[in-house]
Amino acid sequence: MSDDTRRQIVAVYREIDRRGLIVASAGNVSHRTDSGMIITPSGCSAETLAPALLVAMTLDGDVRGDTTPSSEWAMHAAIYQACPSAQCVVHTHADACTALACLNEALPAFHYMIANFGGDDVRCAPYVTFGTPELARLAVQALAGRTACLLANHGVIVHATTADRALSDAIVLETLCRQYLLARSAGTVRLLTAEEMRAAHERYRTYGQTGTREQAGQELSS
Ligand SMILES: [Zn+2]
């Protein structure tokens, strides 16, 4: 189980790296375990990352072994503590998500797929210094009722019930942010109404998994 989890974390990290969502170690991936979580080490790279280099630790910060966990371990731990459904957490500085986060704006209901993240927008947590307990607290606050939030002047964080879904959601959110910025640069975006979003949420509930998620999942396991 633990070996499988470690392999999944490495696969997710390599895939977000391959897709250009992380540059120069600016990202980290974790998965919940019975005793806490397993997280990518500080300053890791897709080329050298291996299952044995991942860091097992409790959600209180007790590290097993000598490897230093990602500097954002507290944000991952706080999400597992606050969101019982969270099994995998992905944090990146992906271009479009980070660009919108630098405007200190939420991603609004410009597209029905925003419903994929649990609400009618993807909030943006206010800026505080990276790696601090305050950032962990503000991220959890911005994630209320959502599976993703932007982090002002920093990046984005996503959680999901499986590693496959966390991967595909990180990819989908980056695509949505890019599409929103593109639309905004072309003119005035018409946002969906509350009623239109209600219908989108209902559709997601009825039809479950999206094709996008299934596709990304297949890519990860192949
Ligand atoms: Zn970061």
Side-chain angles (χ1 to χ4, degrees):
M1 161 66 184
S2 177
D3 283 355
D4 277 356
T5 304
R6 284 172 179 266
R7 275 194 292 272
Q8 277 184 316
I9 294 172
V10 171
V12 170
Y13 191 89
R14 291 218 176 108
E15 187 61 18
I16 56 177
D17 177 77
R18 192 182 72 78
R19 289 174 178 263
L21 268 58
I22 43 176
V23 175
S25 307
N28 32 74
V29 177
S30 70
H31 200 289
R32 190 196 289 274
T33 63
D34 290 342
S35 52
M37 65 178 176
I38 294 174
I39 189 165
T40 45
S42 176
C44 75
S45 81
E47 293 76 38
T48 57
L49 186 62
L53 296 177
L54 298 171
V55 183
M57 62 189 299
T58 67
L59 299 184
D60 295 328
D62 288 334
V63 175
R64 216 184 316 147
D66 299 328
T67 318
T68 308
S70 156
S71 60
E72 293 298 1
W73 71 264
M75 185 162 56
H76 290 247
I79 291 169
Y80 292 124
Q81 277 166 336
C83 313
S85 66
Q87 291 294 321
C88 182
V89 174
V90 174
H91 164 59
T92 75
H93 300 177
D95 288 349
C97 290
T98 303
L100 185 57
C102 290
L103 302 178
N104 288 210
E105 290 181 24
L107 179 64
F110 81 105
H111 192 291
Y112 74 85
M113 284 185 76
I114 295 298
N116 189 50
F117 300 95
D120 287 358
D121 64 0
V122 174
R123 301 185 193 99
C124 183
Y127 179 79
V128 286
T129 309
F130 75 93
T132 57
E134 181 66 352
L135 177 60
R137 192 183 67 76
L138 291 170
V140 164
Q141 212 171 58
L143 283 167
R146 310 278 194 275
T147 58
C149 73
L150 304 178
L151 306 167
N153 306 89
H154 182 160
V156 61
I157 194 154
V158 170
H159 71 79
T161 54
T162 67
D164 281 353
R165 286 176 68 149
L167 168 65
S168 62
D169 282 358
I171 295 164
V172 167
L173 186 53
E174 172 64 0
T175 304
L176 287 169
C177 282
R178 185 176 299 117
Q179 290 166 343
Y180 175 64
L181 292 171
L182 192 61
R184 247 180 56 169
S185 68
T188 305
V189 180
R190 183 188 82 81
L191 300 182
L192 298 174
T193 63
E195 177 56 26
E196 286 167 335
M197 283 304 287
R198 194 200 57 73
H201 282 292
E202 185 56 31
R203 197 79 171 170
Y204 268 104
R205 263 192 294 275
T206 314
Y207 288 89
Q209 295 262 317
T210 67
T212 331
R213 280 180 164 176
E214 283 161 10
Q215 250 172 6
Q218 279 162 8
E219 282 169 18
L220 178 59
S221 46
S222 64

